[in-house]
Amino acid sequence: MDEKILVVEDEKDIARLLDYNLKKEGYRTVLAHEGSSAALLAAKERPRLIILDLMLPGLDGLEVCRRLKMDAKTASIPIIMLTAKGEESDKVVGLEMGADDYVTKPFSVKELLSRVKAVLRRSAAAVEKLEIYRAGGLELDCSRVLVLLKGKPRNITAREFELLKALMAAGGKMLSREALLEKAWGLDASIEVETRTVDVHIGTLRKKLGAEGKRIVTVKNYGYRFES
Ligand code: CA
């Protein structure tokens, strides 16, 4: 897992409790005890998630949230706010500002951890949806499951799309036929698909991609790699 989480909380006991339990779950943690260092730390450390207490000395949590959302480096980092009873209006403002979720104090560690997991899962799905790979006149748009050649959609099959996605996502790294089979056929691969099938699909994919098809390079006796 090894995902980094920034905890912004001035109450030392709560900070320690969160730190301990997040680490126990396999996350890495970065701690900030006041608002003014939180935004800077977030920009420097680029955590996958921020747990932000609203009642902080100096800059309060809402102001920190506002700054995080205004800075391009930190705007996409999901935020879970920690609020106390009686901070209902702050909670609403925080959510309007772009915080993803909130937990009211006193909270159960178990509940907070399940919120953390849920937010991380959602944001990972959102990132995947935004995935676009480009090389020369070739563009692979994962959210729309679309391959564009010089801006024009090209008809390819779902398998061919998954193959091309695996190759482009590997960033030039060689992928074995077995690895490609697993990525493009997934569970279906267990029903007797031969690695030669990969070669056949790569062949048709290359043809459909025209000149850009040359980017799919054969690695003899092994598999393929994508040249961007
Ligand atoms: Ca506090």
Side-chain angles (χ1 to χ4, degrees):
M1 186 148 37
D2 206 31
E3 287 166 310
K4 201 191 287 175
I5 296 179
L6 171 63
V7 176
V8 189
E9 168 64 270
D10 59 312
E11 284 157 87
K12 296 273 160 61
D13 287 347
I14 296 178
R16 220 173 289 141
L17 178 79
L18 289 173
D19 183 45
Y20 172 80
N21 283 287
L22 288 168
K23 279 182 178 151
K24 212 170 99 188
E25 289 292 305
Y27 301 107
R28 280 186 293 152
T29 56
V30 182
L31 305 182
H33 299 294
E34 29 107 34
S36 50
S37 61
L40 290 172
L41 258 179
K44 187 170 147 254
E45 298 278 346
R46 305 280 192 104
R48 283 274 289 109
L49 172 77
I50 299 170
I51 298 175
L52 175 64
D53 184 33
L54 284 190
M55 288 287 277
L56 294 166
L59 278 189
D60 70 26
L62 284 180
E63 180 57 22
V64 174
C65 183
R66 197 181 65 82
R67 291 190 185 188
L68 287 168
K69 292 298 170 193
M70 273 176 57
D71 184 344
K73 286 203 286 290
T74 54
S76 64
I77 304 172
I79 298 173
I80 296 178
M81 297 181 296
L82 294 180
T83 66
K85 279 209 180 83
E87 290 176 353
E88 296 300 305
S89 57
D90 287 352
K91 185 176 80 191
V92 173
V93 174
L95 290 173
E96 278 170 1
M97 264 177 199
D100 291 79
D101 205 349
Y102 65 89
V103 173
T104 309
K105 288 177 176 178
F107 56 85
S108 86
V109 169
K110 207 176 140 201
E111 192 200 340
L112 182 81
L113 289 174
S114 82
R115 298 288 182 94
V116 165
K117 264 182 216 148
V119 168
L120 285 175
R121 206 166 41 230
R122 277 206 303 273
S123 83
V127 167
E128 182 144 356
K129 273 191 189 151
L130 288 173
E131 261 181 335
I132 291 179
Y133 299 102
R134 288 189 187 89
L138 174 64
E139 188 177 317
L140 187 84
D141 183 336
C142 298
S143 67
R144 296 187 293 162
V145 196
L146 211 58
V147 170
L148 303 163
L149 274 180
K150 290 188 179 145
K152 288 206 183 80
R154 192 79 183 89
N155 267 334
I156 67 170
T157 66
R159 288 293 186 228
E160 289 162 356
F161 182 86
E162 291 303 325
L163 277 173
L164 186 58
K165 182 181 168 188
L167 284 163
M168 291 183 87
K173 225 176 71 190
M174 294 189 288
L175 291 175
S176 67
R177 287 190 184 83
E178 288 78 11
L180 285 167
L181 201 56
E182 204 186 303
K183 283 179 193 289
W185 274 260
L187 287 175
D188 294 351
S190 56
I191 42 173
E192 295 289 304
V193 188
E194 288 178 43
T195 47
R196 236 185 59 79
T197 313
V198 174
D199 302 336
V200 175
H201 280 79
I202 291 279
T204 55
L205 178 59
R206 269 186 184 137
K207 272 190 208 124
K208 288 180 181 177
L209 297 181
E212 301 289 352
K214 292 198 185 74
R215 294 180 184 278
I216 302 173
V217 180
T218 305
V219 183
K220 218 180 161 201
N221 298 327
Y222 185 76
Y224 299 91
R225 70 184 169 79
F226 187 86
E227 217 160 65
S228 54

